[in-house]
Amino acid sequence: MKKIEHIGIAVKNLESANATYAALLGKKHYKTEKVESEGVNTSFFLVGESKIELLAATIPESPIASFIEKRGEGIHHIAFQVEDIQKEITRLKKEGFHVLNEIPKIGADNKLVAFLHPKSAHGVLIELCQEIII
Ligand code: ZN
């Protein structure tokens, strides 16, 4: 794993969360992106070499909607940047981690992503992400 790529935070309202985090970090988000497949709207802030990803549900069936319903707003996942996502998936499976999607999918911010079940990592949903080079 190379670094913490971003920390994902589940929020109820993206506009008001954008304003809060802009005030906190002293800068605006640099982009917003809708991830249709996950039913989320996201926005990104750059903080040094890592990012903050705010996630708001766009549909009631969104995993972010059910997360907020169960646990309220807050940290949803930690994303680690990896060099070779397929290799990491194979390695982590051997280590006994529960990989939620063994075939990486296309996530926000031009990344290939895979998730590890929170039960595998003491209650934290882990995202692996690999930059897609275009
Ligand atoms: Zn993420």
Side-chain angles (χ1 to χ4, degrees):
M1 310 243 177
K2 289 166 71 180
K3 64 172 187 183
I4 292 179
E5 214 284 330
H6 63 267
I7 293 175
I9 299 172
V11 304
K12 283 183 185 160
N13 180 297
L14 199 60
E15 285 69 42
S16 81
N18 274 339
T20 306
Y21 276 81
L24 175 70
L25 302 170
K27 58 180 141 188
K28 285 193 151 192
H29 61 282
Y30 67 90
K31 75 161 165 182
T32 59
E33 192 180 338
K34 208 170 186 170
V35 185
E36 218 73 66
S37 59
E38 302 287 323
V40 294
N41 227 340
T42 65
S43 69
F44 287 89
F45 292 80
L46 201 58
V47 191
E49 62 167 17
S50 301
K51 296 164 190 160
I52 297 289
E53 173 187 34
L54 301 179
L55 304 124
T58 54
I59 48 169
E61 305 77 49
S62 166
I64 294 301
S66 53
F67 177 89
I68 289 176
E69 200 163 294
K70 275 185 234 147
R71 297 169 66 167
E73 290 184 298
I75 293 183
H76 178 258
H77 64 272
I78 297 179
F80 294 101
Q81 187 175 323
V82 299
E83 197 80 58
D84 182 338
I85 196 164
Q86 206 62 68
K87 219 165 117 185
E88 279 298 311
I89 289 171
T90 307
R91 182 182 75 82
L92 292 166
K93 272 182 65 188
K94 267 191 210 142
E95 292 284 355
F97 288 92
H98 177 182
V99 180
L100 290 171
N101 59 301
E102 292 183 24
I103 296 160
K105 48 187 180 183
I106 299 189
D109 203 26
N110 220 13
K111 302 273 194 299
L112 273 177
V113 301
F115 289 91
L116 307 184
H117 195 282
K119 284 209 170 94
S120 288
H122 299 266
V124 180
L125 177 65
I126 304 290
E127 177 182 344
L128 308 175
C129 57
Q130 178 192 327
E131 204 91 35
I132 299 172
I133 296 152
I134 356 168

